[in-house]
Amino acid sequence: MIKSGLRKYPKKKQNQKTSIRSVYELLRKENEHLKRTIQTAGGSVTLNSEEPPEFSRNEKTVDWQKVLYKKQPYPDNYVPHSFLTSLITNKGVKAFRYWSLVRGTAVVTQQICSVAIFMVMFSLLYEGSLSAKNLLVFELFSSALIYHIGSRLGIYSNTIPEFSLLLRLVILFALLLAVSPILHTLTFTISTDTICALVVCLSCIHVDWADYSESTQRIGALSVNSGLFVSVLLASRLPSPLHSTSLIYFAVGIFG
């Protein structure tokens, strides 16, 4: 009659891992069920319901530690709630605003556009679509206008008079016009393939080594020199010294 009152538990898989506590809870429930069955049949039995020594009161209160060399009364896959409390995500990440990124990339775009505009001017002079005299007049007028507006806005140094700035433009134009025959034939003996390769390399150096800082007083020396050297290399492929002067003067304005 006692056997008929026992519960039938399903067989577990042999490869399933159970902890000591789960085994103890299963045995305790089985003991309580046997007690009730025997009492119903009118008998009496004494069962040992003490906890196993593996789960003493002291071991239950032991805090879990994140170490592998120490034996702890916790299963191997135990994860406490405080496991990820010391995890720090996105530390040191700097948040950028959209318009600040636009201003930062506009400086790089400006240098690339300057090289592209210079190449367009050279192609127009080389093909004869643009007159050298018209380009020189435009350069002198735009330079004087820019220096005048800059001096009014305080962009340039206030200690230099406006007349002195205009006088420097005239002197620079006169020097370029005087040495234009030399600059026109300076790289004439170099082959066109070599000129094209040097122009591409120096244009990349001009864009790469340009000063992209926010300060308007700093100028990248290597970037400016490479841009001016590009104009000297291409000046030998133009039809006349006047064309060379207009191209180099344009390079001084756009690269300098």
Side-chain angles (χ1 to χ4, degrees):
M1 187 172 182
I2 294 177
K3 293 182 179 180
S4 61
L6 295 176
R7 292 184 181 178
K8 296 182 179 180
Y9 289 90
K11 295 182 179 180
K12 297 184 178 181
K13 298 180 179 180
Q14 295 180 358
N15 58 352
Q16 182 179 4
K17 294 181 179 180
T18 57
S19 61
I20 301 175
R21 179 167 291 278
S22 61
V23 174
Y24 167 72
E25 293 292 335
L26 184 63
L27 292 175
R28 187 177 60 82
K29 292 180 181 180
E30 182 68 23
N31 292 340
E32 292 178 356
H33 179 66
L34 287 174
K35 281 183 179 181
R36 290 193 298 270
T37 304
I38 294 172
Q39 290 176 0
T40 303
S44 62
V45 65
T46 302
L47 297 175
N48 186 14
S49 60
E50 295 181 358
E51 294 184 358
E54 291 80 7
F55 286 91
S56 62
R57 186 176 300 274
N58 295 332
E59 291 185 351
K60 286 183 179 180
T61 59
V62 175
D63 295 333
W64 180 83
Q65 299 179 9
K66 190 166 54 176
V67 293
L68 296 175
Y69 57 85
K70 187 176 181 180
K71 186 176 181 181
Q72 304 181 68
Y74 295 95
D76 295 338
N77 58 350
Y78 177 75
V79 179
H81 296 288
S82 61
F83 184 75
L84 297 178
T85 54
S86 60
L87 179 64
I88 301 176
T89 58
N90 298 330
K91 182 180 180 181
V93 176
K94 185 178 180 181
F96 294 95
R97 295 184 178 273
Y98 174 75
W99 290 111
S100 62
L101 294 177
V102 171
R103 288 193 299 269
T105 55
V107 184
V108 182
T109 307
Q110 177 185 355
Q111 295 295 331
I112 299 175
C113 292
S114 300
V115 176
I117 292 173
F118 177 78
M119 294 302 174
V120 170
M121 286 296 176
F122 167 74
S123 62
L124 292 177
L125 290 173
Y126 182 76
E127 295 174 356
S129 302
L130 180 64
S131 174
K133 295 181 180 180
N134 295 335
L135 181 59
L136 282 175
V137 172
F138 171 76
E139 290 171 354
L140 291 174
F141 177 76
S142 60
S143 299
L145 182 62
I146 290 173
Y147 274 101
H148 176 71
I149 296 175
S151 61
R152 293 296 182 182
L153 296 177
I155 298 176
Y156 303 105
S157 178
N158 296 328
T159 59
I160 302 176
E162 185 177 350
F163 177 75
S164 299
L165 293 175
L166 297 177
L167 183 61
R168 291 181 181 182
L169 292 177
V170 175
I171 293 175
L172 177 61
F173 175 74
L175 288 176
L176 288 177
L177 192 62
V179 299
S180 59
I182 300 175
L183 296 176
H184 179 65
T185 57
L186 184 62
T187 59
F188 185 77
T189 57
I190 302 176
S191 63
T192 305
D193 296 338
T194 305
I195 292 293
C196 294
L198 289 174
V199 166
V200 172
C201 294
L202 292 173
S203 299
C204 294
I205 292 175
H206 170 74
V207 175
D208 189 26
W209 289 85
D211 185 17
Y212 297 111
S213 61
E214 296 181 358
S215 176
T216 57
Q217 303 297 328
R218 296 176 58 186
I219 298 176
L222 181 60
S223 177
V224 175
N225 291 334
S226 61
L228 295 179
F229 191 35
V230 167
S231 64
V232 173
L233 290 174
L234 295 177
S236 62
R237 297 300 183 264
L238 294 177
S240 66
L242 188 62
H243 287 76
S244 300
T245 304
S246 61
L247 182 66
I248 296 174
Y249 192 84
F250 183 79
V252 170
I254 199 170
F255 293 144

